[in-house]
Amino acid sequence: MALDDLQCPLPLSNYPNVTLGHGGGGRLSQQLIEGMLRPALSNPALDVLHDGARLAVPSGQLAFTTDSYVISPLFFPGGDIGSLAVHGTINDLAMCGAQPLALSVGLIIEEGLPMTTLWRIVQRMQAAAQSAGVAIVTGDTKVVERGKGDGIFINTSGIGIIPAGITIDPRRAAAGDLVLLSGPIANHGIAIMSVREGLAFETALESDSAALHGLVAALLAAVGEHVHVLRDPTRGGVASALNEIAQAAGVGISLDETAIPLDEAVRGACEMLGLDPLYVANEGKCLALVAREHGEAALASLRAHPLGQRAAIIGHVQQDRPGRVTLRSRIGGSRVVDMLSGEQLPRIC
Amino acid sequence: MALDDLQCPLPLSNYPNVTLGHGGGGRLSQQLIEGMLRPALSNPALDVLHDGARLAVPSGQLAFTTDSYVISPLFFPGGDIGSLAVHGTINDLAMCGAQPLALSVGLIIEEGLPMTTLWRIVQRMQAAAQSAGVAIVTGDTKVVERGKGDGIFINTSGIGIIPAGITIDPRRAAAGDLVLLSGPIANHGIAIMSVREGLAFETALESDSAALHGLVAALLAAVGEHVHVLRDPTRGGVASALNEIAQAAGVGISLDETAIPLDEAVRGACEMLGLDPLYVANEGKCLALVAREHGEAALASLRAHPLGQRAAIIGHVQQDRPGRVTLRSRIGGSRVVDMLSGEQLPRIC
């Protein structure tokens, strides 16, 4: 990749690996920040202050979100912890109906992490942020002893602007709403599992990691206030996300299994691994609950976007069975889709 | 402490310790969040959304900051990782001249952390936030395997409002400015070291961990735009903070050792441990660079606040020796106070 051809501006001969001193707040910390992190993540807001960033904002509704990323391995088919951390927090903002304004980055590095690994990760963070048109404006770096961390953990927090008139809230789910899904599920979780388990498939299985704020902007431009709920089905998958919404709003949600987009290769891998794709994590998909009469317009707006070409209406909200998600299966039966119990795929994000 | 008498609303019999499943996004995650974290941190903004918080903001200048806390041990004289994480991020906002509006919390928990420890920590976070009048509005919880973390790491990010007319910026340090310090230094670092080293002193040594936004508000109310730079001397201490300012502004800073407030017990402990108090971390102190003609008014405003009673003017900014901090010592000589090299006290915050 072209990203890997860029030379790290910090000479790596003296310190090929991160040391505790790089987190100590003194000269080594300054070298790491000024020599690598600031050049990699450079933008006007980041370059000024020390303790935080200063941003001009219009009055109105602001969204504020945080997420830590502990994914293992750090690099995986279709992504890496750095770009995932940028995409994931942009997506959390998007799921509030907000367009992202700025991100922060908090790095917790294990002593001994190769500097070249850190350099690759921060380059990918910056590439993801630039591609999404969002600036990383403030950051923090800590180092913990070998054996007290696992390579690197990344927290990204974000702030975004919610357009006037938009109120996305799980409690707005109402009987009759249609449930839209922006594309095929389970790709992220299966990509991670296939690396961890050393599985090789005929078709390359890649994470769907992507920033969804453009897709959400298109949806809101099309049907605006008629979007009641947005949710990205990450940990716990579509099943857990919809269960949370059903519980928050005190409504039932009925899904049609045949309508849920799923790649054949992912279906096969799920069967092989004994995983239900409804519970597998996604990092570039969006659920939208939309007033029924605006469902087709919403679907069209999603499908017109590159990240929503395979969007589908997968179910609807009902008064029956409040707090429950049910699935009409391929063979005609109906079953309850419960929340995920325990941990299906640890450290998937 | 009264805080420890509060019963955790989550029954601890089935899960006395945090498991990987508590980070999986399913039922156990929901139990942890709904049964412990949300009740502990409850406030109106936190109670609504899933992926982020919605906040009304006025137009203007917003400060945005992030910090991760990896301090060891988790509980120490005068504080704990939870209240420290709240104070530290409030202070980063205050050092931008901002009054805090909202905080986020990202928890990275090591599998096996006792639930009662987590409960104690989140209660202390909430107590610190309530005492400071700032709401924790959004959060995230991840769990990593035993041996891949160290109990708990906490990221807090924050947003705050910068009053109109206030521009705090290290590049505003100008020759003639006075350097004010809000109180005695090195208490935090020495309190942590004394626990780690198992040292007992005649006088109890406690961390100075405190939220400084009230002190900064008092200072800004008194001398407003004449405050040029604010900085809390945490990792790397007063020496590293002032070196960074000297370098950012291309000015020299001259300190008077006899003017720097230092508790006798802390001085003794520093001598015993071979530490220079100028390099030891503080978590409740503030450096302010103020236009000379407003120095006395600034000092009076600090001293009138409970957290600034022992404030002092400890030096001044000069054109000589740009990028350098020098110290006129107790015995009359002058020496360069360099940046901290390497790591003096690992995991001090």
Side-chain angles (χ1 to χ4, degrees), chain B residues 111-174:
Chain B
E111 178 187 20
L113 181 76
M115 280 286 179
T116 51
T117 302
L118 181 59
W119 171 240
R120 287 174 66 198
I121 290 168
V122 295
Q123 278 183 282
R124 281 160 174 72
M125 295 198 82
Q126 176 76 337
Q130 287 187 331
S131 166
V134 182
I136 294 169
V137 298
T138 188
D140 174 61
T141 305
K142 295 291 191 304
V143 181
V144 297
E145 302 91 333
R146 206 179 287 264
K148 302 293 187 183
D150 192 19
I152 187 168
F153 303 142
I154 301 180
N155 177 284
T156 41
S157 299
I159 55 181
I161 307 290
I162 302 175
I166 299 299
T167 306
I168 306 296
D169 190 323
R171 296 172 306 187
R172 286 190 71 207

Side-chain angles (χ1 to χ4, degrees), chain A residues 86-112:
Chain A
V86 169
H87 293 159
T89 291
I90 288 175
N91 292 351
D92 281 348
L93 292 171
M95 298 309 127
C96 299
Q99 286 302 298
L101 183 67
L103 300 181
S104 67
V105 174
L107 305 176
I108 300 178
I109 305 172
E110 184 190 11
E111 178 188 20

Side-chain angles (χ1 to χ4, degrees), chain A residues 150-231:
Chain A
D150 193 19
I152 187 169
F153 303 141
I154 301 180
N155 177 285
T156 42
S157 299
I159 56 181
I161 306 290
I162 303 174
I166 299 299
T167 306
I168 306 296
D169 190 321
R171 297 172 304 186
R172 285 190 72 206
D177 283 359
L178 296 177
V179 179
L180 282 72
L181 175 64
S182 66
I185 62 172
N187 296 56
H188 176 73
I190 292 301
I192 302 300
M193 281 300 279
S194 63
V195 178
R196 284 196 201 154
E197 306 286 322
L199 302 177
F201 296 100
E202 282 181 33
T203 317
L205 296 178
E206 292 209 336
S207 170
D208 60 344
S209 179
L212 295 172
H213 60 305
L215 182 74
V216 167
L219 175 66
L220 293 176
V223 297
E225 66 192 25
H226 305 294
V227 181
H228 296 162
V229 187
L230 293 168
R231 183 69 56 92

